[in-house]
Amino acid sequence: MPFLFLERFPWPSLQTYTALSAALLAGTVLTVCSSDSRPQSSPEETHSHPVHSSRISRYIRNGGQYLSAGYGDVAADVLLYLLTDSVFVWVMVNTACCVLLLIAKLIQCVVFGPLRVSEKQHLKDKFWNFIFYKFIFVFGVLNVQTVEEVVMWWLWFAVLVFLHLLVQLCKDRFEYLSFS
């Protein structure tokens, strides 16, 4: 039992994890919206185009198109900032994993109903084996060095573990039904 420590660790419930992830995402978006982190435009740019001076609108204006000021421009600017700052990228990855976990829980409740103890144990064992070996794969075999590569690999592995655990659950339920 190499994962004995992980079995005894007090993991939060799904409701607690979802609430913490939602609070973290809301705090991140509010921080970006309330901070004055958007670059200021030059005076001649302000006089020639009376629009919001965000990075997105300047990119579109430089490309020959014009974007009028509005809520969409501010939302696009906030989204661009969230996707370019490394701390906020990890909040977005956590949010994506939380949404994926909620989808898996919904599928489990609708399709399979309540799980048996052996099914829960198999899912837990498969999950930790998958995480352990993929962690070694990402940092040992691939030699990933940039944050963007790590984020992309972890998102890919999150989708794979989602599918892998659903397949394992189908397999366990099929074996249970075929033997009973």
Side-chain angles (χ1 to χ4, degrees):
M1 292 286 167
F3 301 113
L4 188 60
F5 167 74
L6 294 175
E7 290 178 4
R8 293 184 181 177
F9 192 77
W11 296 103
S13 65
L14 180 61
Q15 292 86 4
T16 306
Y17 175 62
T18 304
L20 289 175
S21 294
L24 186 64
L25 180 65
T28 302
V29 171
L30 287 175
T31 301
V32 172
C33 288
S34 66
S35 71
D36 194 23
S37 61
R38 294 182 285 278
Q40 298 298 324
S41 60
S42 61
E44 59 273 356
E45 200 175 300
T46 307
H47 295 301
S48 63
H49 300 292
V51 296
H52 180 69
S53 61
S54 70
R55 289 177 273 186
I56 301 269
S57 62
R58 279 189 286 141
Y59 287 146
I60 292 177
R61 277 198 307 267
N62 291 340
Q65 296 178 358
Y66 185 81
L67 182 66
S68 63
Y71 293 112
D73 189 28
V74 175
D77 193 29
V78 167
L79 183 63
L80 180 68
Y81 186 76
L82 285 174
L83 293 175
T84 56
D85 189 42
S86 64
V87 173
F88 298 135
V89 166
W90 286 110
V91 171
M92 300 297 274
V93 168
N94 179 50
T95 303
C97 291
C98 182
V99 168
L100 201 59
L101 185 63
L102 289 173
I103 291 171
K105 186 67 175 174
L106 178 71
I107 290 172
Q108 179 256 312
C109 287
V110 170
V111 175
F112 299 104
L115 298 180
R116 296 178 295 118
V117 176
S118 64
E119 291 172 337
K120 287 181 184 178
Q121 187 62 37
H122 284 157
L123 286 178
K124 191 184 301 184
D125 291 343
K126 289 287 186 179
F127 174 76
W128 286 117
N129 282 332
F130 191 89
I131 294 297
F132 179 71
Y133 291 120
K134 294 310 173 190
F135 184 80
I136 290 173
F137 180 73
V138 167
F139 292 110
V141 175
L142 290 178
N143 197 15
V144 177
Q145 299 191 2
T146 63
V147 173
E148 290 84 13
E149 289 178 350
V150 172
V151 167
M152 294 309 290
W153 278 108
W154 279 112
L155 286 174
W156 174 245
F157 288 141
V159 171
L160 286 181
V161 77
F162 167 75
L163 295 173
H164 181 69
L165 291 179
L166 284 179
V167 167
Q168 179 64 35
L169 186 57
C170 288
K171 179 183 169 190
D172 285 346
R173 188 56 61 99
F174 175 74
E175 287 175 358
Y176 172 72
L177 291 175
S178 65
F179 287 129
S180 61

